[in-house]
Structures are given as structure tokens and as C-alpha cells.
Amino acid sequence: MVMHTLSSEFTLFRVVNGETVAAHSLGVANGFVKPKLVPRPIIHPLSSPSNMFCVTSLDPDTLPSVATLLMDVMFYSRGSKEVGASGEDSSHIRFFSFSLIEGYISLVMDEQTAQRFPNNVLFTSASGELWKMVRIGGQPLGFDECGIVAQISEPLATADIPAYYISTFKFDHALVPEENIQSVIRALRTESTAQ
């Protein structure tokens, strides 16, 4: 049933005799009519920190050379709870996400944290693209609540704005290319006031 449902939105392939071919007929019908998409209200508070963020990667072979720095960034660096004490802009946040999946490392961090890494350790795009963030939430969002990411992704997809998502216990985060942040804010405000 899942494959049948996905086939209405995606081109699916299967391997037949060692060759990849389009899967035209899956031989399964779920009997459900595709629901009409209805706008989801944005019910959680939104904010956009003033600083920029990097979406990058790290060669696993370099982990020993940056292990101390990673430990410091993950466990000992000041986060947003201490921002007022350091005199930084209150809308400026420290952010670091480390994911290791099947040997591939993905990192998302604020621009200031990225500057702490040695040159040529982080994989970045040739353009050095920076991202802006939209944060959703402010209290634990709850694991039984559905559609939080959809509240953000649907208006952004409609506006043809790419986004990179990270969900945490307290917030969901949508990172968008720096040049799109004003369009994102407009799209989300329009969506929230239309409800």
C-alpha cells in the first residue's frame, strides 16, 4: 500500500533481472482516494535568529584531529541560555548538530562555530553558501503531534524555496538559503494570518 501511495507522487523503480526499470504496475490498490491538501495552520511560535548557519560535512578520518574541538563545541561552549551574559545580540543563537549515519557525518552550525574549525577540515560548497534559520516552537513540541514540519514545508514548497530541516526535542528548525529569508518570513506570515 505504501508503494502504491508513493507512486501517485513519485516515479518508482524496481530491479528486474539485474536492470533498473520503471515500476508501472505495483499490483496493489489501497482503495483510498487521495485527499485534497488543506493548508495547515501555523500554531507554534516562529522566530528567526540574526546569525548565519553552515550546512557541511566532515571526513571521518579527520575526527581524531578535531575530537577535542568537537567535545568543546558539543558540551562546553556557551549556548543560547548564556547569551545575555556574554553581551551578544539576544536573537543570536549558538547551534550545533552532529549526525553520523552509515559512516557519513553531517554538521550544521552557526557561522561563528564553523570559524573555530581548522581550514580545509569542513566540506563546504565552492560558494560558501550560508543559511538563515526559522525556529518553530519554544516549549517541547510533543511526539504525538503530527504535521509540525508540514506547517513550514508546505508554504515554502509553494513559494519554491528549498529548506533543510532539523527537529529537536524543543524546536524544529528550517534552514533556508540566506537570500530567501525575507520571502520565507512573508510566506509564513501570510500562511499564519490566512488561518
Side-chain angles (χ1 to χ4, degrees):
M1 283 195 211
V2 171
M3 298 302 285
H4 176 74
T5 303
L6 288 174
S7 70
S8 67
E9 297 290 330
F10 300 96
T11 302
L12 302 178
F13 296 92
R14 62 171 60 176
V15 176
V16 177
N17 298 327
E19 287 189 48
T20 304
V21 296
H24 296 291
S25 173
L26 299 171
V28 177
N30 65 9
F32 295 110
V33 176
K34 183 179 175 184
K36 182 179 179 186
L37 290 177
V38 293
R40 298 173 192 266
I42 297 175
I43 58 173
H44 294 288
L46 301 174
S47 62
S48 182
S50 62
N51 51 329
M52 306 290 210
F53 301 87
C54 305
V55 178
T56 186
S57 185
L58 180 70
D59 182 345
D61 293 338
T62 63
L63 280 176
S65 68
V66 294
T68 303
L69 175 58
L70 285 171
M71 295 291 286
D72 182 56
V73 167
M74 288 193 284
F75 301 112
Y76 302 108
S77 291
R78 289 180 290 158
S80 62
K81 289 184 180 179
E82 295 95 9
V83 164
S86 68
E88 291 179 348
D89 179 355
S90 63
S91 67
H92 177 99
I93 65 166
R94 293 286 182 206
F95 186 92
F96 187 80
S97 173
F98 179 100
S99 300
L100 175 62
I101 300 171
E102 296 182 353
Y104 294 99
I105 298 172
S106 292
L107 302 169
V108 178
M109 65 189 88
D110 59 274
E111 185 179 22
Q112 293 76 15
T113 299
Q115 292 171 357
R116 294 180 60 190
F117 284 80
N119 290 336
N120 302 320
V121 171
L122 300 176
F123 297 134
T124 58
S125 67
S127 65
E129 183 175 38
L130 294 173
W131 299 70
K132 290 292 283 182
M133 178 186 288
V134 175
R135 295 178 96 184
I136 303 98
Q139 60 186 16
L141 296 172
F143 295 112
D144 58 343
E145 189 172 350
C146 298
I148 296 170
V149 171
Q151 293 171 17
I152 304 304
S153 65
E154 288 170 355
L156 296 186
T158 300
D160 200 30
I161 298 171
Y164 182 91
Y165 297 93
I166 297 177
S167 295
T168 64
F169 183 75
K170 190 170 181 179
F171 294 99
D172 279 8
H173 307 82
L175 291 134
V176 297
E178 173 186 8
E179 65 273 7
N180 293 117
I181 191 64
Q182 293 308 316
S183 299
V184 168
I185 304 258
R186 269 192 309 277
L188 296 177
R189 283 193 179 142
T190 300
E191 188 67 25
S192 115
T193 57
Q195 305 305 319

